[in-house]
Amino acid sequence: MTDSSGKTKSLHASIGTLAISAGSFLLAINYYSWTTATTVIPSTALGILLLIVAAILAYVGIRKCRTNASLCVLFYWTVSALWFSSGINFILAGNNVFSNTNLNTVSTLSGTNFPLAGNPDMTNANVPGLIAFAVGLFIIGIMGILQNETPLALMAIALSLSSIHETVLLYKVNFGASAIACNYLIVTLIGLYFVAGRVVSILSKGQFNLPGTSLTEKADQEQGTMKGSSRIEFEATYLLLNMVSSSVFACRLLGITNSLFVGQVPWLWTAAVFQTAICILSYRYYNMLDATTVAFFSILRFAEGYSLLYQFFNTGEPNFPLPFLIVFAVLFFILSLFTSLKSLIDSGYLLLFVAYCIALACSPQAFFHGGSQGVNVAIFLFSAILLLIKLYNSKSSAKICIGEGIIEKLFARNSFFKLRQGKSTPEPFLGFSKYADADVLAHACSVLAAFAMTMPGTSSTPLLTVVLPWVVVAGGIYHLICGSVAFSRGKTLESSAFILYGVMWVIWGLTRYGGLYGTSRGFNTAVGIISFLLFNSFIVFSTLFLTKAWFAYSLTFQLILISFLLDSLNALPQGYDIAITIIFGLVSFYCFLATLFNSVFEGPQIPVGSPFIKISGFSNDKSKCPHVVSTRTSSVRQIAEIMKNGGICGIPTDTVYVLVAACNQPDAVEKAYKTKRQAQDRPMSLWISSLEQLALAKHLFSPLLWDFMQKAWPSSISLVIPRGPWLEVLGAKESSKYIGTPQSIAIRIPDCTVTTHLIDMVGPIAVTSANPSGEADTTHHNQVFAKLGDKVDGVLCDGPSPENIASTVVDCTKIDSGNLGFFRVGIVPKSQVLEIFEEVKNRNTFGYENSAFVGSTDQLDNSADNSNPELYEEIEDKETTDQLQNSDGNSNPQLKAYVNGGFALNEKDLKL
């Protein structure tokens, strides 16, 4: 573990633990004060403080999940969700939302000063969540003991006991609140001990660590799990959140609570929000199937919370769209089939949600019926067991069998179905992305939104029909998320469509099913819908260049927009909107199934159709121009092989993307020159990975120039130096006509690990920007192919460029006279370059002359082209070659052999 990474991990662990200590201390004070006559911290203030602490814990968990400390991340997120929900309930209680409850004024109930005891609403609101979190935290504590995470285990168990004591206190008024305060105080002290241990370790520079506070051993233990691609903290968190949600309805069925009401909404919607965040993180870690599954869970939680919230504003029971619930069950079943490739126990777990959706569809009461509540009992138990198994298997060498990989092995023996192998990070056509593909979820959400709207509802009581959460959350919010993910993958058309449809679902859902759109219709509404129609018309036209499936998808949504327009004009034919939504839903379902199937299987493929119109130079055949990930050594090696065989490639650098060719491949250099359509005033430059590659020609450079190159590189500084015999040392004899000008050459060592590693493999490279002359610089790997087409033989993908500014180009042709010029001031400021030069110049004595160097300088001074500072086009220079071999009569046999033999002859001598 490096020093910087160790400090970062220590910082995140310390902040997270300190946040838990702070929240526990607040609750300890709160419960101690309830044994007195007054409350020290008002309920609303306590709730706000808990929300702040919960937000800090959630953020620290996100940051720490990069270190793969799965149990620690799970613990942070669990406590965050617990206090987020509790904080909202404290705020609701402080504002008298619950009947007969005012936590800011302590009343005496049954001989105790505890304000919650004996209050039915507070009991019904808090008990379901407390039970679920008590079980979850206890499991985390047990796993912490097994994994030697002593402070974490003690804190988790203490918080679990606190939740249990709070639950008992809600029923047993004689149970003292001081016991709860003691538990929270224990958590506070353990957290402070851990933070103190980290401070001592940092001050002693790791020489002294308090027992149980060292991160070194934990880092070593985590290294073994980092290559596993499975993010156990994501799976464990959504399982625990499912426990919380199912506990709300299971407690009602088992008689633990007396009613379902608004006080339980915070538990349900907290689970929904956290699962939405896990969905996004799953895409970030390239797990498309888990992201889709968690999104489905989240959609259910939003609908459950909406149903309970509805009763707070209305007395009647809401209606639920039957077709939607059946379709949701079908989608869960399909996900279950594909999840079986991962493990059988996960597939069985999703079948419980198939049963849940069917149970909801079987009764008009849906969430309020005993049948669906009974399924929630099974979901709670299964979630707890699966949570325990997954946490145990994540670290234990003796694993519990969960049927992992069994179905995948069966398909491996099948000659008809061929699974995609060796692609842990699905790659889009135009390159690697930091997110997995979200098209599956987007199409699934279109299915849900469409079939939810088959129940139109009534204008007098629009909220009575539970369509709003399905349309706004599934159709709206998740479409916006999927559109953002698609945009990050360079899929501009798809992202535009998803974002447009998401905005439309949100507007139409809130307007029609949120009570904003009554019996009146207006011209303004029609104008707004016409605007959406025009925008979608452009998308429909653009999909002619994509696939037939996408064309049908966008065209049928156009029909839905037309139905919205007719409805706004009071001219909607009876049954038209239902028929169109069903058609759109079926098309979306086909796109969902095809996208999911084709992402898992290489063959056979569900057809999506070729584009109606094909654009010249645009092809879906990735083999013509491979786009490979820069973070893999195998990818860099693949690009290197392409270049060694005469190919040209687009690669990332410390500034913008560039087009490169190996200097020892003159045909490739010429191809890059012509592909770029190189202007005469924009010649190609030359890059090396180390000055070791120029070691044999060091005597050809003045000491001042050599020292300046050593001091300035690696960096985003290109140095223009006189061309001379040193150029042929790099094996660029045949390529020299396309590199630099007849008098000078721009040379650089880039400050980019990937780039220098590639140069180490292929040797010095000829470089030009990856865009046709006159166009803007290329700042993303997707733009390389978009600008240069299939003339590029490969692209090394690294996402957005770290900088949008090119390198600084410095004129060093007269450096021995003590002068520097600037052809271009780029990312490195002029003052910084001059500072480096002054430092080097002060260490050198002037007056040194090297015959080869001075001769080239004189040639440059006498050149008529020297008036153009950007003219670097180079031609072959036989005179300098002769000079290299005969200069001063001191021929260097090793160097001569290298020049005669080419770059590859004496690679060992150059230590490349």
Side-chain angles (χ1 to χ4, degrees), residues 740-851:
T741 72
Q743 297 81 30
S744 60
I745 291 177
I747 185 171
R748 178 156 84 94
I749 298 178
D751 190 13
C752 179
T753 303
V754 174
T755 310
T756 54
H757 185 44
L758 179 65
I759 298 173
D760 285 337
M761 292 182 176
V762 302
I765 57 176
V767 180
T768 185
S769 56
N771 55 274
S773 295
E775 295 189 9
D777 290 327
T778 301
T779 57
H780 195 280
H781 59 252
N782 289 347
Q783 300 174 5
V784 176
F785 189 89
K787 292 182 176 182
L788 300 177
D790 54 9
K791 297 177 182 178
V792 182
D793 299 307
V795 178
L796 192 59
C797 305
D798 195 43
S801 298
E803 303 291 346
N804 294 330
I805 306 175
S807 64
T808 297
V809 183
V810 181
D811 180 9
C812 297
T813 55
K814 299 180 181 180
I815 190 172
D816 281 348
S817 63
N819 297 318
L820 286 183
F822 289 83
F823 292 142
R824 178 179 67 202
V825 178
I827 186 62
V828 181
K830 180 178 180 180
S831 59
Q832 183 176 337
V833 177
L834 293 176
E835 182 180 349
I836 296 173
F837 179 60
E838 287 299 322
E839 181 181 347
V840 173
K841 187 167 62 173
N842 292 335
R843 296 202 310 258
N844 283 268
T845 58
F846 300 103
Y848 170 85
E849 289 191 1
N850 179 289
S851 59

Side-chain angles (χ1 to χ4, degrees), residues 472-636:
V472 173
V473 176
I477 296 176
Y478 271 103
H479 260 100
L480 296 176
I481 293 174
C482 294
S484 301
V485 173
F487 183 80
S488 74
R489 294 174 60 81
K491 303 172 76 171
T492 307
L493 176 58
E494 293 91 329
S495 66
S496 300
F498 292 149
I499 291 173
L500 172 69
Y501 299 169
V503 171
M504 190 62 206
W505 286 124
V506 170
I507 292 175
W508 188 249
L510 292 175
T511 302
R512 185 172 183 180
Y513 297 100
L516 304 178
Y517 193 40
T519 56
S520 62
R521 302 292 189 267
F523 174 76
N524 294 335
T525 304
V527 171
I529 297 175
I530 290 174
S531 300
F532 279 99
L533 277 167
L534 294 176
F535 193 3
N536 193 58
S537 298
F538 173 75
I539 292 178
V540 172
F541 172 76
S542 300
T543 56
L544 293 172
F545 305 91
L546 201 55
T547 64
K548 291 183 175 67
W550 255 98
F551 175 76
Y553 176 68
S554 59
L555 182 62
T556 49
F557 190 82
Q558 187 82 336
L559 298 178
I560 285 187
L561 291 175
I562 292 174
S563 73
F564 293 166
L565 176 62
L566 295 175
D567 183 54
S568 67
L569 298 174
N570 272 327
L572 181 66
Q574 184 176 4
Y576 173 82
D577 56 341
I578 296 178
I580 291 303
T581 52
I582 292 176
I583 293 174
F584 175 73
L586 293 175
V587 173
S588 300
F589 179 78
Y590 181 86
C591 292
F592 159 76
L593 189 60
T595 307
L596 178 59
F597 187 89
N598 294 344
S599 65
V600 176
F601 293 95
E602 287 189 4
Q605 297 268 291
I606 295 180
V608 293
S610 58
F612 288 98
I613 305 174
K614 294 184 178 181
I615 303 177
S616 177
F618 187 89
S619 171
N620 285 326
D621 186 0
K622 297 184 182 180
S623 62
K624 292 184 177 179
C625 181
H627 288 67
V628 294
V629 186
S630 65
T631 54
R632 299 176 183 171
T633 303
S634 58
S635 300
V636 181

Side-chain angles (χ1 to χ4, degrees), residues 47 173 341 362 385 413 516 546 573 604 645 697 710 813 865 882 886:
V173 295
L341 296 170
C362 289
I385 295 172
R413 299 175 183 175
L516 304 178
L546 201 55
N645 293 325
Q710 282 186 317
T813 55
D865 292 332
D882 296 334
N886 302 310

Side-chain angles (χ1 to χ4, degrees), residues 347-514:
S347 177
Y349 182 68
L350 290 182
L351 290 177
L352 287 177
F353 287 88
V354 176
Y356 185 40
C357 291
I358 294 175
L360 292 173
C362 289
S363 173
Q365 295 177 311
F367 301 115
F368 303 93
H369 187 260
S372 61
Q373 293 171 3
V375 178
N376 271 299
V377 175
I379 292 175
F380 180 90
L381 296 175
F382 206 129
S383 298
I385 295 172
L386 196 54
L387 173 64
L388 182 62
I389 292 174
K390 284 186 174 291
L391 288 177
Y392 178 80
N393 286 352
S394 65
K395 296 293 183 180
S396 175
S397 57
K399 300 185 184 298
I400 300 174
C401 180
I402 58 174
E404 189 173 3
I406 293 178
I407 303 299
E408 186 176 0
K409 291 178 181 177
L410 293 177
F411 275 104
R413 299 175 183 175
N414 189 295
S415 58
F416 183 72
F417 292 99
K418 184 180 179 182
L419 290 171
R420 294 188 181 275
Q421 300 292 338
K423 293 186 178 181
S424 59
T425 57
E427 299 168 7
F429 170 51
L430 288 181
F432 168 74
S433 171
K434 293 183 178 180
Y435 292 86
D437 204 336
D439 288 13
V440 173
L441 177 59
H443 292 309
C445 289
S446 294
V447 176
L448 295 176
F451 280 97
M453 293 186 66
T454 55
M455 191 170 184
T458 59
S459 58
S460 58
T461 56
L463 295 175
L464 186 63
T465 304
V466 184
V467 176
L468 190 62
W470 315 116
V471 175
V472 173
V473 176
I477 296 176
Y478 271 103
H479 260 100
L480 296 176
I481 293 174
C482 294
S484 301
V485 173
F487 183 80
S488 74
R489 294 174 60 81
K491 303 172 76 171
T492 307
L493 176 58
E494 293 91 329
S495 66
S496 300
F498 292 149
I499 291 173
L500 172 69
Y501 299 169
V503 171
M504 190 62 206
W505 286 124
V506 170
I507 292 175
W508 188 249
L510 292 175
T511 302
R512 185 172 183 180
Y513 297 100

Side-chain angles (χ1 to χ4, degrees), residues 26-27 29-31 33-34 38-51 83-98 101-106 114-116 122 126:
L26 289 173
L27 290 170
I29 293 175
N30 187 62
Y31 280 100
S33 68
W34 282 348
T38 58
T39 300
V40 176
I41 306 177
S43 177
T44 302
L46 179 62
I48 293 173
L49 291 173
L50 286 178
L51 291 180
W83 287 349
F84 194 87
S85 305
S86 299
I88 294 176
N89 271 340
F90 274 118
I91 294 173
L92 294 177
N95 289 275
N96 299 322
V97 174
F98 304 148
T101 302
N102 187 348
L103 297 185
N104 297 322
T105 303
V106 180
F114 182 54
L116 301 184
M122 291 304 300
N126 287 281

Side-chain angles (χ1 to χ4, degrees), residues 169-248:
L169 186 61
L170 289 169
Y171 291 99
K172 299 294 183 180
V173 295
N174 294 325
F175 190 87
S178 59
I180 304 173
C182 287
N183 287 325
Y184 282 121
L185 189 58
I186 291 172
V187 175
T188 303
L189 294 176
I190 295 172
L192 292 177
Y193 169 80
F194 179 83
V195 173
R198 296 312 311 146
V199 172
V200 170
S201 178
I202 292 174
L203 293 178
S204 64
K205 297 183 178 180
Q207 298 299 317
F208 181 76
N209 292 290
L210 295 179
T213 63
S214 175
L215 296 179
T216 305
E217 294 181 359
K218 298 184 181 81
D220 294 338
Q221 294 171 2
E222 291 160 12
Q223 283 296 325
T225 63
M226 291 187 69
K227 295 183 180 180
S229 78
S230 175
R231 306 298 301 187
I232 182 62
E233 62 268 39
F234 297 164
E235 295 181 280
T237 303
Y238 75 67
L239 287 172
L240 194 147
L241 294 172
N242 281 342
M243 289 172 56
V244 175
S245 303
S246 58
S247 175
V248 171

